[in-house]
Amino acid sequence: MALCPYLNSSMMLSKPKHPTASFCPLDFPNSQHLSSSLSFIASPIGGVKSVSRRCRQTNQRCSLILASMDNPKKPLKIMISGAPASGKGTQCELITSKYDLVHVAAGDLLRAEVTAGSENGKQAKEYMEKGQLVPDKIVVMMVKDRLSQPDSNEKGWLLDGYPRSSSQATALQAFGFRPDLFILLEVPEEILVDRVVGRRLDPVTGRIYHLTYSPPETEEIAARLTQRFDDTEERVKLRLQTHNQNVESVLSLFEDITVKVDGSLPKEDVFAKIDSALSNLIEQKKTTMLAT
Ligand code: AP5
């Protein structure tokens, strides 16, 4: 995502809306190729508005996010997605510590049910062990209930690992939850298996470690680290398969607010890119607020 040089600086560039449009305004040598008339397009997921301009030369349109929320005074609402071990949880730790959003992770909610031994947890575990999506009837209400808590409302939320299907996205919208930004972490598959197998969790602090890339700071922490039951090479391949089957249908619904980030970079560099997108979004909210 980059600031648009042709419109005012509070607007952010999204990817071209039409698959045939391999251009974007940043590719144009100068602004005279863009028509001066703007047209406003409601996002398919609602709430978000984009602005589009037509190129005088090609007569094609490209779109820009104009105002990403119906009420700019509301706190940030962010979704983060990516393949297993793409670094969602790691980035969520960094994002929440800077932006103080409520981290709502579908996988964590499900694991809490599994640990509690509830009926939902027992059913969910069967699917999680096979690397499949847990049925909507369990996941959707779980996520909806967490997003409806007062803290999520007051501080804003960071939704991790949801939605993973178009039906989950539709349910979210039906409950009135509209994200400002959809972050997609992209990591080549050959890196993912290595990340999963080496991942360890600290049950005391909840922090995520990796035996090679992010080792524990002390021997005391190292001694108490645990491993997730679905973190085996065999299971991560199944999870990856499920992810690949569903990701496009979800992405197509959030195209206008998606920012893709290279998740194979060191975690600090990944965060720097996310941080920049979030800072832009906050600036944009402020500008929208001043204008209303
Ligand atoms: P979930 O818990 O969400 O698992 P996942 O999507 O497979 O993702 P992970 O938690 O494995 O990885 P991550 O991207 O958070 O990576 P992390 O930061 O830990 O879901 C588990 C299961 O629950 C699913 O398979 C499904 O069955 C069910 N489920 C969940 N949501 C559902 C939904 N909405 N609907 C239906 N079912 C659902 O990083 C991984 C490792 O890499 C760590 O060791 C970390 O230290 C390391 N690392 C991270 N970033 C970097 C980096 N930049 N460089 C080097 N190492 C890094």
Side-chain angles (χ1 to χ4, degrees):
M1 189 174 292
L3 288 177
C4 172
Y6 304 120
L7 301 176
N8 86 42
S9 63
S10 66
M11 296 172 182
M12 289 183 288
L13 188 67
S14 72
K15 63 188 265 192
K17 199 169 179 61
H18 299 283
T20 50
S22 58
F23 64 89
C24 76
L26 288 177
D27 295 329
F28 290 129
N30 56 57
S31 59
Q32 74 205 17
H33 295 298
L34 296 170
S35 75
S36 55
S37 65
L38 302 178
S39 61
F40 294 83
I41 302 167
S43 152
I45 53 161
V48 178
K49 280 187 178 156
S50 63
V51 58
S52 94
R53 281 186 165 194
R54 195 175 283 280
C55 173
R56 285 195 183 115
Q57 284 193 330
T58 63
N59 203 33
Q60 286 180 305
R61 280 185 182 280
C62 58
S63 61
L64 304 127
I65 296 172
L66 175 64
S68 62
M69 60 295 299
D70 40 6
N71 182 351
K73 288 179 189 158
K74 284 188 183 166
L76 289 183
K77 291 160 286 176
I78 310 296
M79 295 196 312
I80 187 162
S81 174
S86 54
K88 301 182 292 294
T90 301
Q91 292 305 317
C92 286
E93 280 180 8
L94 298 167
I95 297 169
T96 49
S97 74
K98 174 157 182 185
Y99 291 92
D100 198 27
L101 301 174
V102 174
H103 179 206
V104 179
D108 288 349
L109 294 176
L110 287 167
R111 277 184 290 278
E113 290 292 324
V114 172
T115 306
S118 69
E119 195 44 49
N120 275 346
K122 283 180 196 150
Q123 284 184 39
K125 193 170 184 200
E126 286 177 31
Y127 291 88
M128 293 166 86
E129 280 180 334
K130 289 187 242 163
Q132 294 172 352
L133 292 187
V134 174
D136 284 0
K137 66 176 185 274
I138 297 176
V139 179
V140 169
M141 292 314 285
M142 214 175 260
V143 170
K144 183 225 168 205
D145 288 348
R146 186 63 192 90
L147 291 179
S148 305
Q149 298 290 316
D151 60 344
S152 307
N153 240 329
E154 283 154 24
K155 292 180 168 184
W157 41 259
L158 174 60
L159 185 52
D160 165 2
Y162 184 103
R164 295 195 194 213
S165 63
S166 53
S167 62
Q168 291 186 3
T170 310
L172 194 71
Q173 184 192 359
F175 290 126
F177 297 108
R178 290 172 179 163
D180 301 320
L181 196 67
F182 184 96
I183 300 166
L184 178 72
L185 297 178
E186 298 183 302
V187 181
E189 289 195 9
E190 58 273 17
I191 298 180
L192 298 171
V193 175
D194 185 33
R195 283 197 187 173
V196 160
V197 175
R199 172 170 44 197
R200 297 292 183 274
L201 304 169
D202 182 345
V204 176
T205 61
R207 279 202 60 188
I208 303 166
Y209 290 95
H210 190 281
L211 295 179
T212 311
Y213 310 123
S214 186
E217 297 86 355
T218 64
E219 283 190 9
E220 189 190 349
I221 298 174
R224 65 184 187 222
L225 295 182
T226 59
Q227 198 172 10
R228 262 169 52 175
F229 66 84
D230 55 350
D231 269 358
T232 62
E233 187 169 340
E234 187 193 30
R235 283 179 185 153
V236 74
K237 285 184 178 159
L238 296 172
R239 282 154 61 195
L240 200 48
Q241 214 175 359
T242 304
H243 168 79
N244 291 339
Q245 281 161 1
N246 293 292
V247 65
E248 282 307 323
S249 67
V250 174
L251 269 183
S252 64
L253 294 170
F254 297 101
E255 205 179 15
D256 287 357
I257 54 165
T258 297
V259 56
K260 293 183 177 178
V261 177
D262 180 356
S264 65
L265 299 170
K267 67 178 182 181
E268 296 78 11
D269 296 353
V270 178
F271 179 64
K273 289 181 188 297
I274 294 175
D275 194 18
S276 152
L278 293 178
S279 304
N280 283 342
L281 183 60
I282 288 169
E283 278 308 307
Q284 186 194 14
K285 270 175 171 269
K286 281 185 195 154
T287 311
T288 312
M289 236 171 6
L290 288 174
T292 53

